[in-house]
Amino acid sequence: MFWRSSHRRHSEFWEGVRDQAGVATGIAAWGLMTGVAMVKAGLSAFEAVAMTLLVYAGSAQLTAVPLMASGAPLWVILAAAFCVNLRFVVFSAHLRPYVMHMPLRERLATGYVTGDLSYVFFARRYPQPGQTPQARERQQAYLAGNCAVNYLAWMSASLIGIALANVIPPEWGLG
């Protein structure tokens, strides 16, 4: 999605980057806290990194981590994370007409990298799906720019949180 160079050539991509950059500090703070919390809850650095890279859902991670630390059964952990992320079903249903022209692989990648604020910015800017291939390409470029900033802010801050979890003072309350 945001790795396609054709998206980066559109001004809409850079508008998406600018829009998401305005909230990137908050996303990064949330990611940093999540990275620290995973390690402080007892996950190894490897487990925390794997969870960050595979799950990419802060609310689900913060729901699952205390359950994992308390020894809850796997089905309880998965059910809780599923419930927390049910909002993405609504997002997906709304985005369906915007992405159905894309190959399955790209639709799956778009779904994976689209976060809450990426969805909100996109839905606000584009209340209707594009009717021409050019309009759809511009919409996808905007969403790609949004998602790129969101993904990079989250991943980098979460990984920094994991790396620095044992160095960050407990009084900061990030654990």
Side-chain angles (χ1 to χ4, degrees):
M1 166 188 219
F2 54 80
W3 50 86
R4 284 170 78 202
S5 62
S6 63
H7 286 153
R8 290 188 298 273
R9 286 184 224 140
H10 286 281
S11 63
E12 286 85 353
F13 177 87
W14 299 107
E15 289 172 28
V17 166
R18 279 190 299 278
D19 287 350
Q20 192 72 17
V23 296
T25 303
I27 292 165
W30 185 244
L32 179 75
M33 191 236 1
T34 301
V36 171
M38 288 189 293
V39 173
K40 293 296 186 182
L43 270 66
S44 70
F46 176 80
E47 292 167 331
V49 168
M51 188 174 198
T52 293
L53 297 176
L54 297 174
V55 176
Y56 185 51
S59 297
Q61 288 172 268
L62 289 173
T63 299
V65 165
L67 294 171
M68 293 166 67
S70 69
L74 181 60
W75 73 268
V76 170
I77 297 167
L78 293 175
F82 175 78
C83 288
V84 167
N85 280 332
L86 278 174
R87 68 191 183 283
F88 287 104
V89 173
V90 175
F91 297 173
S92 296
H94 177 253
L95 289 176
R96 186 177 190 275
Y98 292 87
V99 300
M100 281 310 297
H101 66 281
M102 297 164 57
L104 176 62
R105 179 180 54 81
E106 287 186 37
R107 291 194 315 262
L108 291 172
T110 299
Y112 177 71
V113 297
T114 301
D116 295 289
L117 291 174
S118 299
Y119 169 76
V120 168
F121 285 133
F122 180 81
R124 184 177 59 193
R125 182 173 173 102
Y126 297 106
Q128 299 295 321
Q131 298 302 311
T132 66
Q134 295 81 9
R136 288 191 294 266
E137 179 69 19
R138 286 192 305 271
Q139 288 178 343
Q140 293 308 307
Y142 178 83
L143 183 58
N146 246 273
C147 291
V149 172
N150 192 63
Y151 185 85
L152 293 173
W154 176 267
M155 287 298 173
S156 60
S158 186
L159 294 172
I160 289 168
I162 293 165
L164 300 179
N166 295 316
V167 177
I168 294 175
E171 54 271 6
W172 287 12
L174 297 181

